[in-house]
């Protein structure tokens, strides 16, 4: 699933990164189905307001059990306000990027930033897909992410490489053993991601 989500982000023209929280006085953030329904209602309203746009949203569960959502959108142009420090009034930035608030999310707090690097955005969003998340009983057999229809899939090319080219690849994970005689590691299986 991580690879599929990463590929969606890399293959499409997403330009905004979102973090949407839920205010418990409006939506029970501990109830995944309710939280998801609120996000779906919001996405439907945004389509009615802005027209068709691309999106991908993932839930994240806090240790407390509360849910919020991380996502990306493309071809959606909400009104954004620069976020400022409540104490100093200075503009808030994260890793050099201005943080915004969107007036169109009224279910809680939100932050929006422009995507500078699709690769970094895809890595950030997929880090929330963990084994622990998938084992939450409340999420059993629940769709783990929301995605708009019609997203592009990446073009995957296959080619036959000679041994010299293959030797240039570095494996992501290696299983093997240390040879008792030479004390050298011998790989049995190498996984390339």
């Amino acid at each position: 699933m991580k690879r599929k989500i990463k590929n969606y982000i890399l293959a499409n023209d997403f330009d905004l990164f979102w973090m949407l929280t839920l205010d418990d006085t409006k939506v029970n953030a501990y109830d995944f189905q309710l939280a998801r329904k609120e996000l779906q209602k919001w996405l439907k309203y945004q389509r009615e307001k802005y027209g068709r746009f691309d999106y991908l949203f993932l839930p994240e569960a806090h240790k407390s059990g509360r849910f919020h959502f991380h996502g990306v959108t493309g071809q959606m142009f909400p009104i954004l306000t620069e976020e400022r420090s409540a104490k100093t009034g200075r503009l808030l930035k994260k890793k050099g990027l201005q943080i915004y608030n969107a007036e169109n999310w009224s279910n809680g707090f939100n932050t929006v930033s422009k995507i500078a690097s699709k690769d970094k955005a895809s890595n950030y969003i997929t880090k929330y897909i963990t084994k622990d998340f998938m084992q939450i009983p409340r999420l059993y057999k629940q769709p783990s992410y929301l995605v708009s229809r019609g997203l592009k899939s990446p073009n995957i090319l296959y080619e036959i490489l000679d041994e010299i080219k293959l030797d240039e690849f570095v494996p992501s994970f290696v299983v093997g053993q240390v040879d008792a005689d030479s004390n050298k590691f011998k790989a049995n299986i190498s996984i390339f991601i």
Side-chain angles (χ1 to χ4, degrees):
M1 179 172 40
K2 276 188 179 187
R3 181 172 290 183
K4 185 175 187 177
I5 289 170
K6 186 171 186 139
N7 286 339
Y8 272 141
I9 294 172
L10 295 174
N12 290 277
D13 296 323
F14 294 115
D15 54 3
L16 295 177
F17 184 89
W18 297 74
M19 192 270 299
L20 305 172
T21 66
L22 299 162
D23 179 346
D24 283 324
T25 63
K26 297 177 181 181
V27 181
N28 181 357
Y30 294 93
D31 185 327
F32 178 70
Q33 277 77 22
L34 284 177
R36 180 182 162 86
K37 283 180 186 173
E38 283 304 313
L39 178 63
Q40 287 173 312
K41 284 194 303 191
W42 178 77
L43 289 166
K44 182 180 179 188
Y45 177 73
Q46 300 314 303
R47 281 192 304 275
E48 291 168 1
K49 186 174 181 176
Y50 296 107
R52 192 198 172 289
F53 64 94
D54 294 332
Y55 64 84
L56 185 149
F57 279 88
L58 282 166
E60 179 189 0
H62 282 285
K63 289 179 185 176
S64 67
R66 298 182 84 244
F67 288 94
H68 69 272
F69 297 93
H70 293 275
V72 290
T73 60
Q75 296 85 46
M76 176 187 179
F77 307 101
I79 297 171
L80 300 175
T81 306
E82 294 172 327
E83 188 171 351
R84 295 181 175 272
S85 167
K87 292 181 181 179
T88 65
R90 290 175 42 187
L91 293 175
L92 291 180
K93 295 186 179 192
K94 186 173 184 179
K95 296 187 179 179
L97 294 174
Q98 177 61 49
I99 302 299
Y100 297 91
N101 296 121
E103 67 177 27
N104 60 3
W105 177 256
S106 59
N107 290 319
F109 180 74
N110 73 78
T111 62
V112 183
S113 60
K114 295 183 180 172
I115 295 174
S117 164
K118 284 185 182 186
D119 205 34
K120 287 180 182 176
S122 67
N123 288 337
Y124 186 82
I125 206 166
T126 56
K127 79 178 184 179
Y128 296 106
I129 304 170
T130 63
K131 181 180 169 188
D132 293 339
F133 178 78
M134 300 312 290
Q135 291 177 347
I136 297 172
R138 300 179 277 173
L139 301 181
Y140 182 68
K141 292 194 176 182
Q142 295 294 319
S144 51
Y145 60 94
L146 294 169
V147 62
S148 58
R149 292 181 185 168
L151 289 183
K152 294 178 232 163
S153 295
N155 291 328
I156 299 173
L157 303 173
Y158 298 94
E159 68 179 278
I160 297 173
L161 300 174
D162 59 30
E163 293 239 1
I164 295 169
K165 287 261 188 196
L166 287 173
D167 288 339
E168 294 175 8
F169 286 98
V170 177
S172 303
F173 184 76
V174 179
V175 176
Q177 60 211 22
V178 176
D179 183 42
D181 297 331
S182 66
N183 205 25
K184 289 186 178 180
F185 181 79
K186 181 182 179 201
N188 293 336
I189 300 172
S190 297
I191 299 173
F192 298 84
I193 298 176

